[in-house]
Amino acid sequence: MKKKIGEILLEKGKISSEQLKEVLSAQRSRPDKRVGEILIHQKYITEADLKEALAQQFGMPFLPHIDAGKVPEEIVSQIPINYARKNEVVPVEKRGDMVVIAISDPLNISVVDDLQMLLGKVVFPVVATSGEISNAINNLYNRATNAADEMIEDLEEDGELGVVTSELEEGEPTDLLDSVDEAPIIRLVNTLLFQGVKQRVSDIHVEPFERDVMVRYRIDGVLHNILQVPRRFHASVVSRVKIMAGLNIAEKRLPQDGRIRTKVAGKDVDIRVSTIPTIFGERVVMRILDRSSVLLGLEEIGLSGDKLARFKKLLRRSNGIILVTGPTGSGKTTTLYAALNKINSEDKNIMTIEDPVEYQLKGVNQIQVNPKINLTFAAGLRSILRQDPDVVLVGEIRDLETAEIAIQASLTGHLVFSTLHTNDAPSAVTRLVDMGIEPYLISSSLVAVLAQRLVRTTCPHCKIAYEPTDAELSELGLTRKALKDGKLYKGQGCEYCMYTGYKGRTGIFELFIISDRIRKMITQKRDASEIRKVAIEEGMTTLKEDGARKVVEGITTVEEVLRVTQEEVV
């Protein structure tokens, strides 16, 4: 008799007997849910833990990583991408007359029979996670399509534009990877979007110049030149993007904003499109929002140690204002979402007003600002307060009216989250005073300010140790005694990180908690530099100090911390 999943996970030490009892009890009230699903939902195990246990239960091998380079293209071409994605199955390698196939669900035996008929070979199934299979599908089927620069050559050869050959479809969007028979311009735009999602791009820039058009990707906060498109294809590319975004292709003199909802390599993606006229034609920026990406927790965004513990304690408050500050693109919204996720529960009514709503939060009522119908931050916030909220998130405090309503909300028993654009945390006080808020209201309502920046993290594949110079150490205020073995770390550059030496980003933070002494200083209208000195005396670590700690730990580099903290007030 086969062992049950819970028993296998217990034997492997993945869960405790108390956790298993809790989950089995929960399953009795939710018989439609499997034990494994509940364990993952409760974050007791990962998907890889569950798949490994399922493989053991069914006597099948478990494959933790799929190497797309081992799969022959002739096998890939015989399995339709739609079938592979729908059934979560992908070829792994060919061994003589046998093909090894990775599947995510060992119970789906019919897939093995289908593939044996389709390939005309013996199929040997192994178990892999859905994420690994999805990544392998994207890599394998992308390999079979033309790259963007090859498409440019196609365009040069046949001159086919195909600007309006694809109509806007209603209902469920078609996956861009499936559009292989479209006209070259359409395939070019689709490929740019697909490559953007694959390389974790936040923005795609299409910039016209006198002789050509430059396509640039913003990866980890830094722009990279990706492709040069001949000038004569510029209008066709822009028109294609406008059609996808539902914009007016005839209007080229005024800025326009639109949105594309589509699927890219199986992922639901929202793309915000902005066009603006320049002297050489329309410039397009596409902001990519991956709706399938998992919201990060407070620990995953870079908060740690005492700073994390103090911030979590602040989230347990029932009233007051907590502000997150930093420039555009510094991850303020991600931090606020992580905070809301932490306190989100059935007994709380959480409401947000945002511009725009970037990610949907389960159990949270989110409102999108719409100035055309006078639904501003202030108007929306005023209405939210009539909805009996416990926690309110205001996307940004931009004006006096919004600030006043937010402060009144915090003084009447609501916990309010919002953002401001300031260089450091203590400057938030000065900004509110400059808006016209009375200092006594700020001192009685403001609880804490979290300033943040995003720094690129050192690539783990090409990270090497080196001995830093005295100048580097003095820039960050470090001593050699503070270093581990007298070394720091940096990336050499490799294929994995596009030869930049960096892969991914993390946050550096400055947590400014309003103490009684600082409240008194705010009421006395003391300036930000004085308040900052007192905050540091009371234990506040600055952005640069937090960055220096992450440099010592090998998470990021000296250059990155200096790049994002150069405007910090000293």
Side-chain angles (χ1 to χ4, degrees):
M1 184 176 174
K2 287 179 183 174
K3 285 186 179 179
K4 294 183 178 178
I5 284 295
E7 293 173 355
I8 295 172
L9 290 166
L10 190 61
E11 286 177 3
K12 286 176 168 289
K14 300 293 185 183
I15 58 172
S16 66
S17 54
E18 289 78 15
Q19 289 170 337
L20 180 57
K21 286 176 186 174
E22 179 191 331
V23 168
L24 290 173
S25 174
Q27 195 202 23
R28 281 194 284 273
S29 60
R30 293 291 305 275
D32 58 315
K33 291 282 185 182
R34 294 181 183 178
V35 169
E37 290 175 350
I38 299 172
L39 284 167
I40 290 175
H41 179 72
Q42 297 284 52
K43 296 186 178 178
Y44 291 150
I45 61 170
T46 63
E47 187 197 359
D49 293 332
L50 176 61
K51 297 301 183 185
E52 189 175 3
L54 279 169
Q56 183 177 327
Q57 186 184 39
F58 286 90
M60 296 167 65
F62 173 68
L63 193 63
H65 176 68
I66 299 172
D67 184 357
K70 290 184 177 180
V71 188
E73 287 193 23
E74 65 266 20
I75 297 293
V76 177
S77 63
Q78 289 178 266
I79 304 174
I81 185 172
N82 289 336
Y83 180 87
R85 190 174 290 129
K86 181 181 177 183
N87 293 282
E88 292 192 340
V89 59
V90 70
V92 173
E93 62 176 307
K94 184 181 177 185
R95 297 177 187 168
D97 289 333
M98 181 178 73
V99 177
V100 180
I101 298 289
I103 59 175
S104 68
D105 186 0
L107 291 170
N108 195 1
I109 302 300
S110 61
V111 170
V112 177
D113 297 332
D114 291 344
L115 290 175
Q116 286 191 153
M117 290 182 61
L118 191 65
L119 301 173
K121 296 183 184 296
V122 176
V123 168
F124 180 75
V126 298
V127 180
T129 65
S130 300
E132 273 296 316
I133 290 173
S134 178
N135 287 337
I137 290 172
N138 295 341
N139 288 330
L140 289 169
Y141 287 90
N142 176 49
R143 200 173 67 188
T145 61
N146 285 336
D149 50 359
E150 291 173 352
M151 290 184 187
I152 296 295
E153 292 177 15
D154 292 345
L155 286 169
E156 294 278 17
E157 287 173 11
D158 58 27
E160 184 183 355
L161 299 182
V163 176
V164 293
T165 55
S166 177
E167 296 180 0
L168 286 170
E169 296 179 10
E170 295 184 0
E172 190 66 21
T174 305
D175 195 306
L176 295 184
L177 268 187
D178 299 337
S179 307
V180 293
D181 298 325
E182 300 282 11
I185 282 289
I186 296 174
R187 294 207 314 274
L188 171 62
V189 173
N190 288 355
T191 301
L192 291 175
L193 293 174
F194 168 69
Q195 293 287 358
V197 172
K198 182 182 172 186
Q199 295 179 24
R200 304 172 299 103
V201 168
S202 61
D203 301 87
I204 299 175
H205 293 235
V206 180
E207 304 171 354
F209 295 102
E210 188 174 5
R211 298 186 182 279
D212 53 26
V213 179
M214 182 63 69
V215 177
R216 300 201 286 172
Y217 284 173
R218 187 177 293 280
I219 304 171
D220 294 334
V222 178
L223 280 169
H224 300 269
N225 290 343
I226 298 298
L227 185 69
Q228 277 188 312
V229 180
R231 185 76 177 80
R232 65 181 181 277
F233 299 124
H234 169 252
S236 304
V237 171
V238 173
S239 294
R240 173 58 189 161
V241 173
K242 281 185 168 183
I243 288 169
M244 293 175 75
L247 300 179
N248 182 359
I249 61 171
E251 180 55 75
K252 300 181 181 180
R253 300 165 301 168
L254 293 173
Q256 294 187 68
D257 294 304
R259 177 184 169 194
I260 300 169
R261 179 176 172 267
T262 187
K263 278 195 173 187
V264 179
K267 295 181 178 181
D268 285 318
V269 174
D270 275 343
I271 302 167
R272 296 209 311 267
V273 177
S274 171
T275 70
I276 195 166
T278 70
I279 57 171
F280 294 118
E282 288 183 283
R283 187 182 193 278
V284 179
V285 174
M286 292 174 273
R287 164 66 59 89
I288 297 176
L289 301 171
D290 185 353
R291 291 165 57 210
S292 65
S293 64
V294 179
L295 287 172
L296 299 176
L298 290 171
E299 295 84 357
E300 295 163 305
I301 62 175
L303 276 170
S304 60
D306 180 56
K307 206 168 287 184
L308 174 63
R310 293 167 78 188
F311 192 67
K312 283 181 176 178
K313 189 176 179 182
L314 291 168
L315 298 181
R316 293 199 290 268
R317 290 182 59 98
S318 60
N319 66 296
I321 294 182
I322 297 174
L323 294 176
V324 179
T325 73
T328 302
S330 60
K332 299 188 295 294
T333 303
T334 302
T335 299
L336 287 174
Y337 281 178
L340 289 186
N341 243 3
K342 186 72 180 174
I343 60 175
N344 190 9
S345 60
E346 292 179 2
D347 62 340
K348 281 190 174 69
N349 177 16
I350 302 176
M351 301 193 73
T352 77
I353 179 157
E354 306 167 61
D355 182 22
V357 174
E358 293 192 7
Y359 297 100
Q360 294 170 9
L361 297 170
K362 189 176 180 181
V364 176
N365 300 283
Q366 297 171 272
I367 301 166
Q368 171 104 18
V369 164
N370 189 346
K372 292 179 182 177
I373 56 172
N374 202 31
L375 179 54
T376 59
F377 279 121
L381 181 54
R382 195 178 287 111
S383 299
I384 281 174
L385 295 178
R386 303 188 195 110
Q387 293 281 316
D388 184 33
D390 297 298
V391 180
V392 177
L393 184 151
V394 185
E396 185 183 343
I397 293 178
R398 294 177 180 171
D399 51 51
L400 175 61
E401 187 181 8
T402 307
E404 285 178 334
I405 300 168
I407 284 174
Q408 289 303 324
S410 70
L411 293 173
T412 53
H414 303 88
L415 183 60
V416 180
F417 294 96
S418 192
T419 69
L420 274 179
H421 290 283
T422 63
N423 287 335
D424 65 346
S427 297
V429 173
T430 312
R431 181 60 52 86
L432 291 172
V433 171
D434 290 344
M435 281 184 182
I437 302 294
E438 290 295 334
Y440 75 90
L441 288 174
I442 299 170
S443 68
S444 56
S445 61
L446 190 61
V447 172
V449 183
L450 184 73
Q452 70 178 78
R453 299 288 189 279
L454 288 178
V455 292
R456 291 181 292 173
T457 51
T458 310
C459 175
H461 292 258
C462 60
K463 182 161 77 172
I464 58 165
Y466 74 100
E467 192 170 320
T469 63
D470 291 335
E472 283 181 293
L473 295 176
S474 64
E475 285 271 27
L476 289 183
L478 290 171
T479 61
R480 292 201 180 273
K481 288 182 181 178
L483 307 185
K484 298 174 182 177
D485 302 321
K487 304 285 186 182
L488 291 181
Y489 299 87
K490 63 182 178 181
Q492 285 183 299
C494 63
E495 187 177 334
Y496 182 75
C497 62
M498 292 178 61
Y499 299 96
T500 61
Y502 299 99
K503 184 75 172 178
R505 289 191 288 179
T506 191
I508 59 173
F509 301 91
E510 177 177 281
L511 182 57
F512 171 51
I513 295 177
I514 312 299
S515 64
D516 291 337
R517 186 180 171 191
I518 289 171
R519 286 185 202 285
K520 192 174 180 181
M521 294 181 74
I522 293 171
T523 309
Q524 293 170 349
K525 299 184 179 181
R526 306 282 277 275
D527 63 39
S529 60
E530 290 182 78
I531 294 173
R532 181 182 177 79
K533 285 176 184 175
V534 172
I536 291 171
E537 286 173 18
E538 293 182 348
M540 181 184 85
T541 54
T542 66
L543 286 165
K544 190 173 282 188
E545 287 169 344
D546 193 39
R549 183 181 61 79
K550 287 182 167 67
V551 169
V552 171
E553 291 174 0
I555 296 171
T556 187
T557 64
V558 175
E559 293 78 15
E560 268 301 286
V561 173
L562 294 177
R563 179 177 69 85
V564 301
T565 60
Q566 60 188 353
E567 293 181 357
E568 184 188 343
V569 179
V570 178

